[in-house]
Amino acid sequence: MNIVAPRVKTLPAGLAEALRAIVGPKGWSDDPATLDPYLKDWTGYYHGTTPLMVMPASTAEVAAVVAACARAGAAIVPQGGNTGLTGAGLPQGEVLVSLRRMNRVRALDPLDYTITVEAGCVLAAVQQAADAADRFFPLSLGAEGSCQIGGNLSTNAGGISVLRYGNTRELVLGLEVVLPDGQVWDGLRRLRKDNTGYALKHLFVGAEGTLGVITAATLRLFPKPRELATGFAALRDLDASVELLAILRGASGDAVSSFELIPRLGLEIGLEHDSAVVDPLAAPSPWYALIEFSGTVADASTRPKLESGLAAALEQGVITDATIAESLDQRLRLWRIREAMVEFQYKAGASIKHDVSVPVSRVPEFIRTANAAVAAAVPGIRPLAFGHVGDGNVHYNLTQPVGMPRAAYLERAADVHRAVYDVCAALDGSFSAEHGVGRLKPYLVKEWRGGAELDTMRRIKAALDPLGIMNPGKVLP
Ligand SMILES: Cc1cc2nc3c(=O)[nH]c(=O)nc-3n(C[C@H](O)[C@H](O)[C@H](O)COP(=O)(O)OP(=O)(O)OC[C@H]3O[C@@H](n4cnc5c(N)ncnc54)[C@H](O)[C@@H]3O)c2cc1C
């Protein structure tokens, strides 16, 4: 089946009136100034356009909106917090469906260790609701103050706790979804075991809004960490990153909850642009690891585990120096190094970015080989490779050479991407570890996931969304 997305710049007659009637006066806007923040993304690379944004306040309203659009053959783009990094949540003429008014916590069951929330709940609010009930929701990422659970599910977000708790996919028990014909699938089950046919919820996780609108989710909660120990270590070299991770996992009874690789350039970006960043170690090192251990029992055992793990690594020559946070303030300062690097990297110049993954053991090989490949393509290019190395996820961002004009550098983006993705493919990696495909990378889906895999994806899309109205032009080539 040929799925042709209807792109509407003006809506079919009567549709705008019908949608406005469904959502009421507070639930829509076509005012350019109001729409502006929803039509550009965090990176500044993507811009969108829409004839109308609707903000339904209930599942029934979402269902009525989708049904009306389906009847009129008008396409829809669901949007959460608009923090996505691939342009997936920006419309290109479609009706924009913002979930932000659907932000209620519907239920929290401390005995089941579950929380049921509407899709428009901001991630930080879900963390806080769990915390207030003496429980823990582990999904955590830099955008947690703005991104929404519906967006997290639709991108299968990763973040800094994947090593211990898994991606968003591992955190979801049940979903409520409005399907492309307006039907509501109520799959909000709280079951840990449920082998009753195809696991439909997993179709919608990571689908980037191309198969339906997620309206609510039941999520797994965990015992709250009672102790945290945060350390910062200077690595002997790049290979030492995975050696250190292996030592710490073995020495701690798997208490490692985060393990982030940080290059010297990343620390220097923070030192230059953020007064909260200090260099925690005496001598500079080309590579660092930011490590966090967590323990759910307050028995003062977590810090000693980190201490003894780092001592063993020092003795074996895997690290050359390390420090452990003595207070909450020091812990936040160590994490600030990681956050400032991401926030201020743009100040070092134009950046060509990649969000790749390889098997954990091959992270050093990936970075080394890719560094050589991109230096051959653009001499003087400055790699800023960092990320959740415990998950094999490298944010491989490449800053423009000093002295090279920005535009001339960005013109080389295709060559740089090719060099990086070739190395990644040779190491059995993925071209998108956690940010998704969106508008940016459908061509790579064709190259990397062609044949039976792409054919199956297309059949699923055609079966669920025969009119092609759900977030057209995203994910599938
Ligand atoms: C500073 C910063 C740090 C980040 N760190 C990380 C990180 O560590 N790990 C990580 O994985 N990502 C990270 N991201 C990327 C981003 O935050 C995640 O992709 C996040 O999950 C997107 O959520 P959102 O609500 O903003 O979704 P949006 O950007 O609004 O949408 C993303 C996609 O989901 C779809 N969508 C949104 N809501 C729904 C819904 N209810 N139903 C169906 N489809 C929907 C949209 O159509 C779009 O395709 C970061 C971003 C920033 C800006």
Side-chain angles (χ1 to χ4, degrees), residues 250-275:
S252 68
D254 235 352
V256 188
S257 45
S258 298
F259 189 95
E260 300 286 316
L261 180 70
I262 297 176
R264 178 74 198 174
L265 176 62
L267 174 57
E268 281 169 359
I269 287 172
L271 289 171
E272 194 177 339
H273 300 291
D274 188 337
S275 57

Side-chain angles (χ1 to χ4, degrees), residues 215-230:
T215 46
T218 298
L219 305 164
R220 295 172 68 192
L221 298 178
F222 294 82
K224 198 156 119 178
R226 309 283 167 189
E227 294 187 340
L228 290 177
T230 309

Side-chain angles (χ1 to χ4, degrees), residues 94-460:
E94 300 89 359
V95 175
L96 181 59
V97 178
S98 167
L99 276 295
R100 69 180 181 282
R101 289 174 75 214
M102 291 196 60
N103 58 5
R104 287 182 313 128
V105 174
R106 288 192 190 165
L108 188 152
D109 190 323
L111 295 181
D112 276 339
Y113 277 77
T114 59
I115 187 169
T116 299
V117 297
E118 291 182 343
C121 278
V122 169
L123 172 56
V126 179
Q127 295 166 345
Q128 284 154 17
D131 189 72
D134 202 31
R135 296 292 180 266
F136 181 56
F137 183 60
L139 183 65
S140 178
L141 43 131
E144 64 196 22
S146 317
C147 64
Q148 299 173 5
I149 284 298
N152 301 145
L153 287 157
S154 301
T155 56
N156 186 25
I160 57 172
S161 305
V162 174
L163 184 58
R164 182 89 171 269
Y165 298 98
N167 292 298
T168 308
R169 187 183 296 286
E170 278 83 52
L171 303 175
V172 61
L173 292 175
L175 287 185
E176 179 187 85
V177 181
V178 172
L179 301 171
D181 61 0
Q183 281 191 84
V184 179
W185 170 52
D186 180 358
L188 283 178
R189 295 189 275 268
R190 286 182 288 166
L191 304 172
R192 310 276 163 158
K193 289 191 163 184
D194 178 23
N195 288 344
T196 50
Y198 304 138
L200 291 187
K201 67 184 176 201
H202 289 305
L203 275 183
F204 300 97
V205 177
E208 301 181 44
T210 60
L211 297 178
V213 183
I214 297 174
T215 46
T218 298
L219 305 164
R220 295 172 68 192
L221 298 178
F222 294 82
K224 198 156 119 178
R226 309 283 167 189
E227 294 187 340
L228 290 177
T230 309
F232 192 81
L235 301 168
R236 179 197 68 220
D237 54 22
L238 190 50
D239 290 301
S241 57
V242 287
E243 291 171 38
L244 176 62
L245 176 62
I247 292 171
L248 295 179
R249 290 189 77 174
S252 68
D254 235 352
V256 188
S257 45
S258 298
F259 189 95
E260 300 286 316
L261 180 70
I262 297 176
R264 178 74 198 174
L265 176 62
L267 174 57
E268 281 169 359
I269 287 172
L271 289 171
E272 194 177 339
H273 300 291
D274 188 337
S275 57
V277 172
V278 288
D279 188 343
L281 301 175
S285 165
W287 294 100
Y288 302 95
L290 172 64
I291 306 134
E292 193 151 274
F293 279 25
S294 63
T296 52
V297 183
D299 60 358
S301 66
T302 305
R303 186 190 161 106
K305 282 180 194 159
L306 179 57
E307 271 168 3
S308 62
L310 290 175
L314 200 58
E315 203 171 299
Q316 292 170 39
V318 172
I319 61 174
T320 54
D321 196 7
T323 183
I324 296 179
E326 298 292 343
S327 62
L328 178 61
D329 179 59
Q330 282 187 10
R331 170 180 179 256
L332 295 177
R333 276 176 181 270
L334 291 182
W335 273 104
R336 194 61 210 144
I337 296 171
R338 169 71 170 80
E339 291 153 5
M341 171 180 64
V342 176
E343 221 170 293
F344 295 111
Q345 60 179 301
Y346 74 94
K347 295 217 175 196
S351 178
I352 299 175
K353 299 182 196 304
H354 311 84
D355 161 42
V356 301
S357 63
V358 292
V360 173
S361 62
R362 305 188 90 171
V363 167
E365 188 183 352
F366 167 76
I367 294 176
R368 247 194 320 270
T369 318
N371 283 357
V374 297
V378 182
I381 197 166
R382 289 176 293 156
L384 182 67
F386 62 94
H388 321 296
V389 166
D391 323 320
N393 182 185
V394 183
H395 295 304
Y396 191 67
N397 296 349
L398 298 156
T399 301
Q400 69 187 79
V402 176
M404 185 171 186
R406 181 185 178 87
Y409 177 60
L410 291 176
E411 266 171 28
R412 303 299 311 281
D415 300 333
V416 172
H417 289 321
R418 174 56 53 212
V420 173
Y421 292 134
D422 281 353
V423 174
C424 184
L427 295 175
D428 293 330
S430 166
F431 66 84
S432 180
E434 60 175 15
H435 294 161
V437 176
R439 214 158 114 182
L440 184 63
K441 300 177 191 165
Y443 75 101
L444 290 169
V445 173
K446 191 170 182 183
E447 261 179 50
W448 289 55
R449 303 285 181 251
E453 193 165 346
L454 180 54
D455 187 44
T456 307
M457 286 197 240
R458 284 194 161 130
R459 285 178 199 215
I460 290 169

